[in-house]
């Protein structure tokens, strides 16, 4: 298979960022210069687009129960620009998928017995720590627990 065919076979499965696609091609034995040329060819043909990748990854992670801090960090690890990251979050907001307080509450309702929140401070602390690890900010995490505690 040519480097371009390998790149296309990766992109057919799912979106990839440029650095990720380059890394995967090189890991499959493609020469560095050929990998760069293949990625450029995929980009020129519209098969690879970092903005589309960012929106897809952000949507996938948000649906998977991750918060905005974690999603932003992961997008940054793909060496995307601040503008591409902001556009991904704007895309989430436009689709009505960026209600982070509601997402945090829904996540807690699926994971914990929220009826026990009022009587168990250790459970509330555990729930806040869970949300923080998932990438929600402190205000959102504490607010979600308080909202569910109040009933």
């Amino acid at each position: 298979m040519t480097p371009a065919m390998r790149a296309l076979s990766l992109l057919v499965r799912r979106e990839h960022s440029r650095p990720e696609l380059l890394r995967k091609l090189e890991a499959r034995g493609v020469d560095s210069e050929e990998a760069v040329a293949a990625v450029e060819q995929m980009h020129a043909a519209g098969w690879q687009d970092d903005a589309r990748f960012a929106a897809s990854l952000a949507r996938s992670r948000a649906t998977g129960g991750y918060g905005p801090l974690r999603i932003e960090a992961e997008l940054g690890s793909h060496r995307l620009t601040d503008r591409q990251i902001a556009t991904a979050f704007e895309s989430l907001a436009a689709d009505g998928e960026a209600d982070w307080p509601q997402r945090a509450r829904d996540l807690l309702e699926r994971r914990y017995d929220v009826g026990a929140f009022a009587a168990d401070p250790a459970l509330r602390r555990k729930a806040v720590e869970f949300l923080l690890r998932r990438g929600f900010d402190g205000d959102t995490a504490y607010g979600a627990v308080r909202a569910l505690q109040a009933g």
Side-chain angles (χ1 to χ4, degrees), residues 2-5 11 34-48:
T2 67
M5 289 172 63
L11 289 168
E34 291 176 339
V36 168
V39 170
E40 287 301 322
Q41 183 181 352
M42 295 299 108
H43 180 72
W47 286 95
Q48 191 285 322

Side-chain angles (χ1 to χ4, degrees), residues 3-4 22 25-26 29-41:
L22 280 170
L25 288 173
E26 290 172 357
V30 176
D31 179 65
S32 184
E33 290 178 14
E34 291 176 339
V36 168
V39 170
E40 287 301 322
Q41 183 181 352

Side-chain angles (χ1 to χ4, degrees), residues 69 100-102 104-105 108 128 131-132 135-147:
L69 300 176
W100 301 111
Q102 184 61 49
R105 288 189 299 272
L108 291 180
V128 168
L131 289 174
L132 293 174
F136 291 90
D137 64 70
D139 289 340
T140 302
Y142 284 106
V145 169
R146 278 192 298 270

Side-chain angles (χ1 to χ4, degrees), residues 14 35-36 38 45 57 63-64 67 73 78 83 88 95 101 105 108 114 133 146 148-149:
R14 70 169 180 83
V36 168
L57 183 65
T63 303
H78 286 275
R83 183 69 206 133
D95 294 342
R105 288 189 299 272
L108 291 180
V114 295
R133 282 192 310 275
R146 278 192 298 270
L148 293 174
Q149 179 185 0

Side-chain angles (χ1 to χ4, degrees), residues 49-66:
D49 182 2
D50 279 341
R52 193 172 58 225
F53 165 78
S56 173
L57 183 65
R59 183 166 289 105
S60 170
R61 296 304 185 255
T63 303
Y66 291 100

Side-chain angles (χ1 to χ4, degrees), residues 110-131:
R110 286 195 313 265
R111 180 147 177 123
Y112 294 99
D113 175 17
V114 295
F117 275 11
D120 191 352
L123 183 62
R124 291 192 304 267
R125 184 175 52 255
K126 197 173 174 181
V128 168
E129 290 170 357
F130 170 72
L131 289 174

